[in-house]
């Protein structure tokens, strides 16, 4: 009995310490609403060989957002620290400000794909049987049809009885999508509900000798953000904290689950 009680105490302490460790994980973030932070972000993208045309396109969207009412009244474009479980932004407030003064915005997939598309090796996708580009959140960009078709294929929603990890790997392999970045990677969060697999979030991992950067558009009408994590495991924990509405949530870096 004594041994059993000691075992229970040990298990309780292990769970408690694990939970405390998870809650204490911190990262640094910047919501890119000052010229200094935008210029710094520009240099980071340039150092990872993102084409200048794509950087300029994204920066234009970021500058438009930074001049919006929610950004001007609630955000500061400098570096701050936060716990990975912390909710940083007021979604309802952002929507209300947007409703009073709308502007052209991207979602997370549009922002990530805009700066990562040149690091994908894909077939010449056709728009046949794919939603028209008017429905795409990146439809305002002056790109060819294959660009929009690749976007729709990369982030498709589909049914599968496989695990999320196996289903996404198989799907991308069947579509002949290859990832070719060396120090820049597409990061995507996927989940399953009623056997339907859905992309829940997307961003770009930018690595150098000093830092692990993660760029994202947090949500539609929410800020653009660049974060610095101690490791990809911390980034993964941050992403898995976004929602509890889906099963088998899986984070991919390029075409590999982590």
């Amino acid at each position: 009995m004594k041994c059993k009680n000691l075992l229970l105490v040990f298990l309780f302490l292990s769970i408690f310490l694990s939970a405390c460790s998870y809650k204490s994980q911190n990262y640094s973030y910047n919501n890119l609403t000052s010229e200094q932070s935008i210029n710094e972000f520009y240099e980071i993208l340039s150092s990872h060989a993102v084409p200048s045309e794509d950087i300029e396109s994204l920066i234009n969207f970021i500058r438009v957002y930074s001049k919006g009412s929610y950004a001007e009244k609630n955000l500061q474009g400098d570096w701050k620290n936060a716990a990975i479980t912390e909710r940083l932004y007021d979604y309802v407030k952002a929507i209300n400000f947007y409703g009073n003064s709308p502007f052209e915005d991207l979602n997370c997939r549009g922002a990530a794909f805009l700066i990562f598309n040149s690091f994908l090796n894909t077939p010449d996708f056709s728009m046949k049987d794919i939603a028209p580009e008017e429905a795409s959140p990146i439809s305002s960009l002056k790109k060819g049809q294959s660009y929009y078709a690749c976007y729709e294929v990369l982030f498709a929603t589909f049914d599968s009885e496989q695990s999320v990890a196996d289903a996404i790997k198989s799907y991308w392999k069947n579509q002949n999508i290859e990832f070719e970045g060396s120090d820049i990677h597409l990061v995507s969060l996927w989940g399953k509900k009623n056997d339907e697999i859905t992309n829940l979030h997307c961003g770009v991992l930018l690595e150098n000798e000093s830092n692990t950067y993660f760029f994202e558009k947090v949500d539609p009408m929410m800020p653009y953000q660049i974060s610095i994590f101690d490791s990809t495991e911390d980034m993964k924990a941050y992403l898995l904290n976004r929602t509890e509405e889906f099963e088998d949530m899986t984070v991919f870096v390029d075409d590999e689950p982590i």
Side-chain angles (χ1 to χ4, degrees):
M1 179 63 72
K2 186 176 180 179
C3 290
K4 183 177 181 180
N5 289 338
L6 287 174
L7 180 60
L8 289 173
V9 170
F10 176 76
L11 289 173
F12 172 80
L13 287 174
S14 298
I15 294 170
F16 176 76
L17 291 173
S18 177
C20 289
S21 174
Y22 179 77
K23 290 180 180 178
S24 68
Q25 287 174 285
N26 292 324
Y27 69 104
S28 301
Y29 72 95
N30 189 312
N31 46 52
L32 299 174
T33 52
S34 70
E35 277 302 308
Q36 180 178 344
S37 63
I38 291 172
N39 290 336
E40 182 180 352
F41 180 53
Y42 194 112
E43 292 302 318
I44 292 171
L45 293 180
S46 295
S47 70
H48 287 78
V50 177
S52 58
E53 176 189 1
D54 292 339
I55 299 177
E56 291 290 350
S57 295
L58 178 63
I59 294 298
N60 286 339
F61 281 104
I62 292 174
R63 284 204 169 101
V64 168
Y65 188 91
S66 70
K67 293 177 173 58
S69 299
Y70 178 74
E72 288 188 336
K73 296 180 185 299
N74 296 276
L75 305 178
Q76 294 178 330
D78 52 7
W79 288 97
K80 297 181 179 295
N81 294 323
I84 62 172
T85 55
E86 185 177 347
R87 300 298 182 192
L88 300 178
Y89 309 113
D90 188 330
Y91 193 60
V92 174
K93 184 183 290 187
I95 291 175
N96 290 337
F97 275 114
Y98 179 84
N100 293 330
S101 183
F103 52 86
E104 190 173 15
D105 197 25
L106 293 175
N107 65 14
C108 62
R109 287 166 287 279
F113 189 71
L114 178 53
I115 59 175
F116 191 77
N117 70 91
S118 62
F119 302 95
L120 287 168
N121 183 17
T122 64
D124 187 18
F125 288 117
S126 168
M127 287 300 294
K128 182 181 179 181
D129 299 326
I130 296 176
E133 55 187 79
E134 287 77 17
S136 170
I138 51 176
S139 60
S140 64
L141 303 173
K142 308 301 182 184
K143 302 284 187 178
Q145 283 198 337
S146 182
Y147 178 88
Y148 301 105
C150 180
Y151 172 92
E152 298 291 346
V153 169
L154 189 66
F155 300 117
T157 295
F158 57 93
D159 292 335
S160 177
E161 295 181 357
Q162 292 181 290
S163 69
V164 169
D166 289 342
I168 296 300
K169 283 176 67 72
S170 297
Y171 178 75
W172 282 345
K173 183 177 181 180
N174 291 337
Q175 296 294 331
N176 296 315
I177 296 176
E178 297 178 357
F179 298 81
E180 298 188 327
S182 58
D183 55 4
I184 179 171
H185 308 280
L186 186 72
V187 177
S188 53
L189 172 66
W190 299 81
K192 179 186 286 191
K193 183 184 289 186
N194 299 324
D195 285 337
E196 184 177 74
I197 294 177
T198 304
N199 178 259
L200 307 178
H201 194 55
C202 191
V204 175
L205 175 65
L206 303 141
E207 297 179 301
N208 61 28
E209 294 180 356
S210 304
N211 292 307
T212 298
Y213 292 103
F214 176 64
F215 167 74
E216 63 185 315
K217 177 66 160 65
V218 176
D219 267 316
M221 293 166 280
M222 300 296 278
Y224 297 86
Q225 180 175 299
I226 186 166
S227 304
I228 300 176
F229 291 96
D230 289 338
S231 66
T232 54
E233 282 300 310
D234 281 2
M235 179 190 70
K236 175 182 175 180
Y238 164 82
L239 290 168
L240 292 176
N241 188 59
R242 283 184 62 87
T243 179
E244 297 180 350
E245 296 181 8
F246 291 80
E247 301 173 351
D248 194 18
M249 288 171 57
T250 304
V251 176
F252 273 76
V253 173
D254 292 338
D255 54 355
E256 291 295 331
I258 60 172

